[in-house]
Amino acid sequence: TDNPVVAATQLVMHTCGRAEEWEAQYLLRRCRKSLGEITKSTSWSEFADALDEHWAKLRACAFYEYAKLRHWSNQRDWCKMVDLGAPTMKGKWILMVDRANCEQHDLKQSLAEFDALIQGEVAATIAYDAQGKSENAFVARSHIWLAVYDVLKNTNEVHTASLFDISECEKALFKVAQSIDRLPQENSLTTLVLLRRAWVLYDLFHTASHVYKRLAKIAYITALLLNVAVVTITTLSCANEETVISTQRKPILLVLSLLTAGVTSWNALI
C-alpha cells in the first residue's frame, strides 16, 4: 500500500500476531515436554513430585475450566483436587496424587489415563489456537487494527519513552496530561465503530427486554386465573357434593396445581 500509516499498522499487527503465535507454540512445546517428564515416572512418589513440579506448565495449555478435571479426578482414588485457598503461580486449584491411596492402583495404567487426559486437552488447545492465536487470526481482528491505525495516524499525539527509565516515563505522562483536550473535535473511525456496536447491542437488549416483559405479564395473569379456578372449584365442590365438579375435584385440582406451578416456574425463569 502507498499509505505509510496503513503499512505501519500492518507491520505492527503482523509483529504482534507472530509474537502471540510464537507464545502459543512455546507453551504447547513446554506442556508436552512436562507431560513427557511426568509419564516417565517409575514410582508413585516420582509421579507425585513430577506432577507438582510441572502442574503450572500443564495448566498453560489445559483445563481452562475445572469441571471436566473435577469429574475425572472424582472417578479415581489415586488423585484429588486440592484448593490452595488463594490464587498462586500454580493456580487456585491443583491436581495432586493422593499418596495415602495411590499404592493400591496400577502406576502404568494411571499414567496412561493421565496422559490421555492431557493429550485431549492439548488437542482442544491446538484447535482453539489455530482459530484465535495465529498470526492471520490476530491480523484479522478489525477492532485492534483500527485502534493501532488510530494511534499511528495521530503522530502529534504519539509519545515514546523507555520503560527502563521510569522517571522519564513519568515526565512524559505528566506533560501529555497537561496538554490533553478532553473534548475532541471529531470522532475517530474506531470510536464510530465502537458506538455502532454499542447501539446494536442496546437495540438487541431493548427488544429482548420488551419481549420478556410481555411474557412475564402473560405468565402472571395466567397464574392468577389458575389460582382463581382452584379456589372456585374448591368452593363449588364443598357447597354441593353431588355435582360433577365434586366427583372429579381431586384430578382437576391436581392438574390446575401443576399448571400453576409450571407457569410460576417459567415466569421466574424468564
Side-chain angles (χ1 to χ4, degrees):
T1 179
D2 296 332
N3 191 328
V5 180
V6 173
T9 303
Q10 287 292 98
L11 178 62
V12 172
M13 293 295 292
H14 280 283
T15 302
C16 295
R18 284 193 294 270
E20 188 171 68
E21 184 175 348
W22 176 89
E23 180 185 19
Q25 294 176 354
Y26 171 77
L27 294 176
L28 184 62
R29 291 194 301 270
R30 191 178 67 169
C31 177
R32 285 173 169 169
K33 182 179 179 181
S34 298
L35 180 60
E37 294 293 330
I38 294 174
T39 53
K40 288 192 303 185
S41 302
T42 58
S43 65
W44 281 106
S45 179
E46 290 184 13
F47 185 15
D49 295 338
L51 180 59
D52 182 69
E53 179 183 355
H54 296 283
W55 175 252
K57 298 176 183 178
L58 296 178
R59 280 282 289 108
C61 291
F63 309 126
Y64 298 112
E65 294 182 356
Y66 284 122
K68 181 178 179 180
L69 181 60
R70 286 197 182 96
H71 178 72
W72 187 86
S73 63
N74 289 336
Q75 294 179 331
R76 290 159 178 83
D77 296 334
W78 58 266
C79 63
K80 59 183 179 180
M81 291 289 293
V82 177
D83 185 1
L84 300 181
T88 64
M89 294 295 293
K90 297 180 180 180
K92 188 175 184 294
W93 289 86
I94 182 173
L95 180 69
M96 298 183 66
V97 173
D98 191 349
R99 298 176 185 264
N101 299 321
C102 63
E103 295 294 342
Q104 57 185 340
H105 296 276
D106 182 69
L107 176 61
K108 291 184 178 181
Q109 181 181 353
S110 300
L111 287 172
E113 293 175 352
F114 182 75
D115 180 74
L117 174 67
I118 301 299
Q119 293 291 358
E121 290 292 316
V122 168
T125 301
I126 292 175
Y128 173 80
D129 290 346
Q131 296 180 356
K133 288 192 175 182
S134 64
E135 180 180 351
N136 293 332
F138 187 87
V139 175
R141 297 174 186 173
S142 58
H143 60 289
I144 298 180
W145 196 99
L146 290 172
V148 174
Y149 177 83
D150 193 39
V151 170
L152 297 178
K153 177 181 67 175
N154 300 319
T155 56
N156 295 329
E157 298 179 5
V158 177
H159 304 268
T160 61
S162 175
L163 291 176
F164 295 98
D165 190 352
I166 301 301
S167 61
E168 187 65 25
C169 293
E170 292 178 350
K171 292 179 182 179
L173 289 174
F174 181 79
K175 183 178 179 181
V176 171
Q178 298 298 319
S179 59
I180 288 179
D181 185 3
R182 301 296 179 182
L183 299 176
Q185 299 299 322
E186 60 182 8
N187 290 324
S188 63
L189 179 59
T190 307
T191 307
L192 293 175
V193 171
L194 292 176
L195 285 174
R196 184 182 64 183
R197 291 182 178 179
W199 277 111
V200 169
L201 292 176
Y202 172 80
D203 291 337
L204 290 174
F205 295 153
H206 188 70
T207 302
S209 66
H210 275 283
V211 172
Y212 285 119
K213 183 178 179 180
R214 294 191 185 97
L215 292 176
K217 288 182 178 180
I218 293 173
Y220 177 78
I221 294 174
T222 304
L224 185 62
L225 293 176
L226 289 172
N227 287 323
V228 171
V230 170
V231 174
T232 303
I233 292 173
T234 303
T235 303
L236 292 177
S237 62
C238 291
N240 190 349
E241 297 290 343
E242 298 180 356
T243 61
V244 177
I245 295 179
S246 299
T247 58
Q248 302 294 329
R249 179 178 60 181
K250 291 183 178 181
I252 293 175
L253 290 178
L254 176 61
V255 172
L256 290 177
S257 300
L258 291 175
L259 289 175
T260 303
V263 171
T264 304
S265 301
W266 182 69
N267 189 24
L269 181 61
I270 63 173

